[in-house]
Amino acid sequence: LRRNAREIGSANGPAANYRSSNRSHGSDSKLRPQYPFLCGIFTIHTKWYYYFVVALIEAQAYYLIFLAFRYTSFTFVYVTNALAIPSAMLFTKLFMKRRYLWTHLIGGVICITGIVVYTVSDMSLEDGFEHVASSDHIKGDIFAIFGAILLGLDDVLSEIILSDFGGVNEMLFMKGMFGALISVVQLGILERDSFSALFSKEGSSCTLTWRMALFTTHVCTRSLDVAGEMKFLFISEAALLNLLLLTSDLYAAIFDVLTIGLKLTPIFYLAFFLIVSGLIVYESGPSPA
């Protein structure tokens, strides 16, 4: 995997001469290398297995994160998701040779502090320490940590392919196709019982119709999320994307206010202030180069 990533990000790679022109001429295929795909039915602009690698990484990242919910607390998973930020910075440094300034590092720390403050504010004493005593919770913690690290790696590799090779539409098609195939195979091997239970009419307080509605909504919103992230990575960078994604929990809290009448505490406003402040500090300096 590391060898493939270095090959993608190497300055001597097949698309090195097109790096500066891709962002401004992303639709001009003459500026990019071309490779036949599916017996020449389609033409893509990088090797197909690069897309397979990023699809595999993203599929395993989200599988580990969702699997972690079975074994450890929601709060721990939400906090460890912030590890995608230093993960993205580290892999960007390794593969893209970018330099981060103190403003970027301080801004990242402030943003992470904000989400930690918001999440820990809802933790009971039991939630905060139960994962230490149980082997199952320790396993869930490991899943959550590795899932967050893989998310950062996936964003960096996707940014490299988007900016240097295929572009947004090609990325969405190839990554979506391989991601669906990987997920179906993995589902059939590891989660057959859970998948069967999803369509079962017994053993659940949730009706089958409502379950299908929730499942369909999740698939649609997740598709829109991925499309938005790929477009963002095409014009920006992975670390900033993960910083912005920290606000998702805050938006979820606002949604709860509108739907179930949740009352926000002063901690919420403090966390929101810290995250916004961190983003401002991060963006106050020049972009990583």
Side-chain angles (χ1 to χ4, degrees), residues 33-37 42-48 51 170 174:
Q34 298 185 16
Y35 301 89
F37 180 65
F42 301 102
T43 298
I44 58 177
H45 298 93
T46 188
K47 298 174 182 178
W48 66 267
Y51 291 111
E170 184 173 303
M174 296 294 292

Side-chain angles (χ1 to χ4, degrees), residues 162-177:
L162 282 166
S163 60
D164 292 353
F165 297 95
V168 175
N169 293 333
E170 184 173 303
M171 169 64 80
L172 290 175
F173 173 76
M174 296 294 292
K175 194 175 185 180
M177 180 188 67

Side-chain angles (χ1 to χ4, degrees), residues 18-225:
Y18 314 110
R19 180 185 297 266
S20 61
S21 59
N22 253 358
R23 290 181 185 269
S24 58
H25 301 89
S27 62
D28 188 355
S29 61
K30 294 181 180 180
L31 297 177
R32 297 174 290 173
Q34 298 185 16
Y35 301 89
F37 180 65
L38 293 180
C39 300
I41 298 177
F42 301 102
T43 298
I44 58 177
H45 298 93
T46 188
K47 298 174 182 178
W48 66 267
Y49 53 80
Y50 289 167
Y51 291 111
F52 179 83
V53 169
V54 293
L56 178 64
I57 292 173
E58 182 176 29
Q60 302 318 304
Y62 281 105
Y63 179 72
L64 289 174
I65 289 173
F66 284 120
L67 192 61
F69 283 116
R70 293 182 180 178
Y71 303 106
T72 192
S73 63
F74 279 35
T75 51
F76 185 86
V77 176
Y78 289 143
V79 170
T80 52
N81 273 348
L83 289 176
I85 297 169
S87 172
M89 288 182 169
L90 175 61
F91 288 118
T92 298
K93 179 69 174 178
L94 289 176
F95 299 144
M96 304 180 74
K97 308 302 180 185
R98 283 180 180 164
R99 296 178 59 186
Y100 288 97
L101 304 178
W102 282 108
T103 52
H104 301 131
L105 300 178
I106 293 173
V109 170
I110 294 174
C111 285
I112 294 175
T113 302
I115 198 63
V116 169
V117 167
Y118 171 68
T119 306
V120 172
S121 68
D122 289 334
M123 291 175 63
S124 66
L125 184 62
E126 181 182 3
D127 286 335
F129 293 95
E130 63 182 356
H131 63 275
V132 176
S134 170
S135 59
D136 284 341
H137 280 285
I138 294 175
K139 180 169 62 175
D141 295 347
I142 294 174
F143 290 156
I145 291 171
F146 275 99
I149 293 173
L150 288 178
L151 280 181
L153 175 60
D154 168 60
D155 288 336
V156 172
L157 296 182
S158 295
E159 181 187 349
I160 293 172
I161 295 176
L162 282 166
S163 60
D164 292 353
F165 297 95
V168 175
N169 293 333
E170 184 173 303
M171 169 64 80
L172 290 175
F173 173 76
M174 296 294 292
K175 194 175 185 180
M177 180 188 67
F178 283 126
L181 291 175
I182 292 169
S183 297
V184 168
V185 172
Q186 190 164 338
L187 184 68
I189 296 175
L190 300 177
E191 300 292 338
R192 282 179 295 179
D193 293 339
S194 298
F195 186 71
S196 299
L198 176 65
F199 297 94
S200 175
K201 295 183 179 180
E202 300 178 355
S204 175
S205 59
C206 184
T207 65
L208 179 60
T209 302
W210 184 241
R211 270 179 279 167
M212 292 300 100
L214 292 175
F215 179 75
T216 303
T217 302
H218 173 77
V219 172
C220 293
T221 54
R222 181 73 192 123
S223 299
L224 293 173
D225 176 41

